[in-house]
Amino acid sequence: MYQAQVLDEKYFKIFGGVYNDFRKRCHIDYKFELDPLDYNDFIEYFTKGLLSCILLLEDDIPTGFLAYSAALEDAIELYVVHCLGAENIFEKKNCLVQKFLELTAQKREKALVSYPMLGIQAQYKDMMANYGFKFIDLGVVVFDINNKKVLKDFYEIKFTDLPIGYKITPYRDVYFDELVEVVFEAFKNSSDVNFDPRFKTIEGVRDILEKITNSIYGKFLPQCSKVLLAESKVAGFAFANVTGDYIGNIPLVGIIPEHRGLNLSEVMLKAVLEDIAKLNKSGFIRLKEVNASVDIQNESASRMYAQIGFKESYTYPQGYLPKSGSDEF
């Protein structure tokens, strides 16, 4: 009844309706913060090989699609599985996922699959588990930057003074190379490596930081982003940016192990939010909220955000399929 095949030029015109249906629903149903590519840009990215797309066909008419990228050497990023309507939805999605796994079989010998199952996609967690996917439950925590009571309580938070030898300073490019090493040390044993293997290598971390600081993941806020110095050496970090739809985001916070246990992450995070609040109040940026993602099982990280005034908004399963032959599979 259903067929799945790689998008080709034959379907460029009629596929637009399905894709634009996804775009209309991307924020509410799929919890996307950044606007997806418009349809013309999506087709351009596809024709240039920057992303891949599988169509679901019913009587040769597109009624769904799966979009992914295999550009990274050691990861395949599965972005979304979308279908029109709800009739036979599991059958439709299974058809797309099976084709995806078939097409990526060779690549998956050396690469894992990462699939953030945001919004309604979380309903298909059991289905994806049948294909061998594993999951980390992530929580999105939110700071209500425009709530006067929240801000009043926030400004009343008092932490002990920084220990002698420590200093918090705004991000500058001069710290970039040292930060690559520090982020690697802070995250190499974290749960993040299961779905983003870039954290496993210096080269991968460099790619992440280049994308953050070059505003690929949202407009980077260097003055709000903070670097923790210990005797003039980088020991920690807290980055800030603005993603789509007026949402501030904290993409990375961390401290290398030997400097943990002193509440320094909380102090850095408070400094970040203070500067974001100033920019928001001045009108330089206009935000609806500030958010961050946290591994629910990481109690210390969850506690850190809670102490600053973040509240849990929603959770979602971050799916990952270990590479073929992996001990995890």
Side-chain angles (χ1 to χ4, degrees):
M1 181 178 183
Y2 304 111
Q3 291 182 308
Q5 72 164 65
V6 174
L7 172 64
D8 66 35
E9 189 173 355
K10 169 185 174 181
Y11 298 102
F12 280 3
K13 289 186 178 180
I14 57 176
F15 172 53
V18 179
Y19 183 78
N20 286 323
D21 179 73
F22 156 69
R23 291 192 81 235
K24 290 176 183 177
R25 298 167 56 189
C26 66
H27 296 301
I28 301 300
D29 288 356
Y30 292 98
K31 301 293 185 182
F32 277 35
E33 290 184 5
L34 295 174
D35 288 332
L37 297 168
D38 66 31
Y39 185 62
N40 290 333
D41 287 340
F42 181 88
I43 293 299
E44 181 180 354
Y45 273 55
F46 173 78
T47 55
K48 289 182 177 179
L50 299 175
L51 57 78
S52 300
C53 180
I54 301 169
L55 291 186
L56 179 75
L57 300 175
E58 298 181 50
D59 297 324
D60 208 36
I61 302 297
T63 60
F65 73 99
L66 181 155
Y68 69 97
S69 172
L72 296 177
E73 181 179 349
D74 49 6
I76 301 168
E77 299 175 289
L78 202 171
Y79 297 133
V80 67
V81 185
H82 174 73
C83 297
L84 297 176
E87 184 179 0
N88 298 327
I89 190 66
F90 284 93
E91 185 178 353
K92 293 176 181 179
K93 296 214 170 193
N94 270 307
C95 184
L96 285 166
V97 172
Q98 287 169 10
K99 188 65 174 180
F100 164 74
L101 294 175
E102 174 190 326
L103 293 172
T104 59
Q106 184 174 355
K107 172 81 172 181
R108 288 187 293 105
E109 293 178 1
K110 297 181 179 180
L112 61 79
V113 178
S114 175
Y115 180 24
M117 302 183 71
L118 290 158
I120 62 174
Q121 296 181 101
Q123 300 172 17
Y124 310 105
K125 181 177 177 180
D126 289 344
M127 184 190 85
M128 300 306 291
N130 290 333
Y131 292 107
F133 276 78
K134 300 177 183 295
F135 307 94
I136 296 168
D137 288 328
L138 297 183
V140 174
V141 293
V142 171
F143 185 88
D144 190 348
I145 195 74
N146 297 306
N147 185 306
K148 292 182 179 180
K149 183 180 186 309
V150 169
L151 285 173
K152 180 177 180 296
D153 292 343
F154 168 74
Y155 285 120
E156 289 178 352
I157 296 172
K158 301 295 182 183
F159 292 111
T160 56
D161 294 335
L162 288 174
I164 295 174
Y166 287 96
K167 177 182 178 182
I168 292 175
T169 186
Y171 170 86
R172 290 187 289 129
D173 288 339
V174 68
Y175 296 124
F176 184 88
D177 288 336
E178 199 173 350
L179 273 166
V180 170
E181 300 279 347
V182 169
V183 173
F184 171 70
E185 288 297 323
F187 275 84
K188 66 181 181 181
N189 295 317
S190 71
S191 63
D192 298 71
V193 301
N194 291 307
F195 56 86
D196 192 341
R198 290 177 298 174
F199 284 112
K200 293 182 179 180
T201 66
I202 292 292
E203 295 78 11
V205 169
R206 182 176 295 276
D207 177 70
I208 293 171
L209 294 194
E210 285 176 347
K211 285 181 166 62
I212 290 174
T213 57
N214 288 316
S215 297
I216 303 300
Y217 294 147
K219 181 182 178 182
F220 181 53
L221 301 176
Q223 285 299 113
C224 297
S225 299
K226 303 302 175 185
V227 176
L228 175 69
L229 301 177
E231 303 294 346
S232 300
K233 294 183 178 180
V234 176
F237 50 88
F239 294 105
N241 58 23
V242 179
T243 63
D245 206 24
Y246 308 103
I247 294 176
N249 178 252
I250 311 294
L252 289 178
V253 179
I255 291 178
I256 53 178
E258 54 265 42
H259 296 281
R260 293 173 184 168
L262 300 173
N263 286 334
L264 299 174
S265 293
E266 288 87 343
V267 176
M268 273 196 302
L269 187 57
K270 187 170 190 288
V272 169
L273 280 175
E274 285 174 346
D275 282 352
I276 290 176
K278 289 176 184 176
L279 291 182
N280 190 56
K281 184 177 181 180
S282 71
F284 183 80
I285 56 176
R286 295 189 181 279
L287 301 179
K288 294 179 180 178
E289 64 183 43
V290 179
N291 68 20
S293 294
V294 59
D295 179 353
I296 293 174
Q297 299 302 314
N298 187 336
E299 294 182 2
S300 61
S302 297
R303 184 167 55 251
M304 172 187 71
Y305 285 108
Q307 287 179 339
I308 296 297
F310 283 79
K311 305 293 183 182
E312 185 176 294
S313 177
Y314 62 91
T315 63
Y316 68 93
Q318 169 63 57
Y320 66 97
L321 180 64
K323 61 186 178 181
S324 301
S326 168
D327 291 338
E328 293 183 66
F329 191 74

